[in-house]
């Protein structure tokens, strides 16, 4: 059996603000932005073109969804973003105003640091130990 995770969903307040933040601040790549009318869009981003799993933005259009923006995993790390150069990405992202929780630190599996997106979702930036 061959399986993989193709897409993950993140609730956002606004498609365009999320696209701007993820591409210009976090350095992600916009894969698709297709309109389906009535304000509905299929918007996907990836950490890099080589990524197999994409993030789908879903605009919060109900009160229940709006309450969950930024807290899909409560205050726990929602996703782990693996990088080949943590110090490069950490420095670049920090210069662009990304909020980090501490400094990069060595752990048994590599080097990591937790950050949050514009909505408060937490991510782990990880350089895996070889």
């Amino acid at each position: 059996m061959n399986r993989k995770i193709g897409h993950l969903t993140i609730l956002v307040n606004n498609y365009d603000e999320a696209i701007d933040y993820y591409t210009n601040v976090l350095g992600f790549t916009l894969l698709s932005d297709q309109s389906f009318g009535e304000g509905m869009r299929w918007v996907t981003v990836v950490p890099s073109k080589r990524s197999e799993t994409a993030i789908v933005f879903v605009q919060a259009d109900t009160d229940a969804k709006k309450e969950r923006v930024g807290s899909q995993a409560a205050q726990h790390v929602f996703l782990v973003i693996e990088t080949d150069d943590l110090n490069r990405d950490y420095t670049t992202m920090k210069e662009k105003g990304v909020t980090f929780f501490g400094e990069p630190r060595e752990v048994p599996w590599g080097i990591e640091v937790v950050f949050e997106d514009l909505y408060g979702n937490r991510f782990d930036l990880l350089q895996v130990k070889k």
Side-chain angles (χ1 to χ4, degrees):
M1 181 180 323
N2 186 16
R3 294 181 178 179
K4 68 177 184 175
I5 295 175
H7 298 88
L8 298 166
T9 299
I10 290 183
L11 293 167
V12 300
N13 288 328
N14 176 281
Y15 289 121
D16 295 321
E17 117 185 309
I19 291 168
D20 180 59
Y21 184 84
Y22 274 78
T23 59
N24 294 318
V25 177
L26 298 184
F28 280 44
T29 299
L30 180 65
L31 277 186
S32 63
D33 183 0
Q34 300 171 346
S35 178
F36 292 100
E38 297 183 24
M40 294 183 62
R41 289 161 63 179
W42 177 255
V43 179
T44 60
V45 295
V46 290
S48 73
K49 290 266 186 186
R50 300 179 78 199
S51 181
E52 291 187 19
T53 304
I55 295 173
V56 177
F57 294 148
V58 173
Q59 188 163 298
D61 58 358
T62 67
D63 288 340
K65 288 179 189 175
K66 289 175 184 174
E67 288 177 17
R68 300 299 302 167
V69 170
S71 65
Q72 291 181 189
Q75 295 302 310
H76 294 280
V77 168
F78 180 57
L79 297 173
V80 176
I81 308 299
E82 292 185 9
T83 179
D84 61 348
D85 189 339
L86 184 132
N87 289 321
R88 174 200 64 214
D89 294 344
Y90 171 76
T91 300
T92 301
M93 291 164 63
K94 191 165 186 165
E95 288 172 352
K96 292 184 177 190
V98 174
T99 300
F100 284 91
F101 297 94
E103 302 289 321
R105 63 187 179 98
E106 288 194 36
V107 291
W109 49 90
I111 305 168
E112 71 178 0
V113 63
V114 174
F115 69 94
E116 68 181 10
D117 71 2
L118 73 165
Y119 301 114
N121 293 303
R122 292 188 181 188
F123 297 82
D124 192 12
L125 184 62
L126 171 65
Q127 181 176 332
V128 177
K129 185 184 245 179
K130 293 182 182 186

